[in-house]
Amino acid sequence: MIALWDSLPVLAQDIAVTLALLLPGVLLGAGVLRGFAPWPLVRAILWRFRGPSVLFVLLIALSVGMGIGLLAQERGLRQGTAQAADKFDLIVAAPGSELTAMFAAVFLQPSDMGLLSGDTYSAIAAHPSVTLAAPLAFGDSFGAASIVGTTADFVRHLSDERIEGRLWRTAEEAVVGALVPLEIGGRFAPSHGTGDAAEPDGHDGHESAVVGRMAPTGTPWDRAILVPVEAVWEVHGLANGHAPERAGQIGPPFDAAYFPGTPAVVLRAASLGASYGLRSEFTRDGETMAFFPGSVLAGLYRVMGDVRQAMSLMALVTQGLVAASVLLGLFILSRLFRRQIALLRALGAPRRFVFAVIWSFSAVLLLAGAAGGLLTGLGAAQLLSAAVTSRTGVAVAAGLGWTEIQFIAAFVSAGLALSLLPAALVLRQPVIEGLRA
């Protein structure tokens, strides 16, 4: 049986789980309503007590929406960060924290990192399995945009060669990300440092001209300004990576004797097997560390998974409290039309019909609240995604998935089952007392 289940496509498994969660509620409704059509009376009760009914639906929608929004946001964040690291096959950096190096190289977060020497870079770039070895140089900014020194080949790789304008030809030219507020042909003066610590006049009026713009990538690099790595070195008073007789050269090959150092090198290998070989070869104690950003993210996801389990447990407890509140609310609402129900019973309405009326009233409120919660959760996830994207530059798109749909299905089935209790309680109340209410 387990082998048969594992052989099913993921979509079929999701559909099967959703139907299994929803089926108890459907069967329950079919059993309660069998032979009866209480909808005209239910509509009349809903209209008569429309104020409390609307408030009750809003309560359910808010509680359900919070759970859905968190689940959708967590999944969207995973997908967005994975997309951001997609172009970074392998990173080589000085020994230290892989997480810190990844945040600096992939997500452009300011970090203090050691530098790789010219000899180390030359050994990496000269390896026969390496098809791209791009040094990254950080430390400057323009407004909220980080300035990153690198090579033209890396810009082509990062943008899939979708560049409006052209690549740089001199150290005084730059290519900007899709969201940087600079036009092609504009000029800017870099500030030394980033954020509040940036020094606007730290580079003696040095300016660069924008000659190209990358297509949107959905990563923090959309907010970055890319310049030749030689420009970053020169503006800080360092050698530009080339011997004096080739001082005007832009891009590799670099001369190890004139290579000031780089905090990270992005590698691309000829094959996946070669990437693993490079990681093993350039992971040297006290010299370099090589890592796959995807593996670091996987470890981070495991931690997030533990957090998600804790959040899921909290959500389960919260939904339990919500279910108890729903049950209490249904009891209170059933008291509002106690006299009408007693009148129905006094006129000879069958007990099952009265039971179906009360249960249907509760079911309508639950279904309306669940549908509202679905929309509320989607809206909350969109707002959270926009806030995360604006703050980090990672394109987070949180939409509804099977997890959220299954969450709704389970809530609806449980709510419909709990709705039996208020209906049964109303039938146990004396008719005479109900008429006097």
Side-chain angles (χ1 to χ4, degrees), residues 234-254:
E234 289 176 352
V235 81
H236 289 89
L238 304 172
N240 69 355
H242 306 287
E245 60 271 17
R246 294 188 295 111
Q249 178 181 330
I250 298 296
F254 296 103

Side-chain angles (χ1 to χ4, degrees), residues 18 33 40 49 69 79 118 142 155 206-207 225-226 235 239 245 284 315 425:
T18 303
L33 299 177
F49 302 102
Q79 294 173 347
F142 173 73
V155 179
H206 177 85
E207 286 190 346
I225 299 174
L226 287 75
V235 81
E245 60 271 17
R284 304 168 180 171
L425 181 63

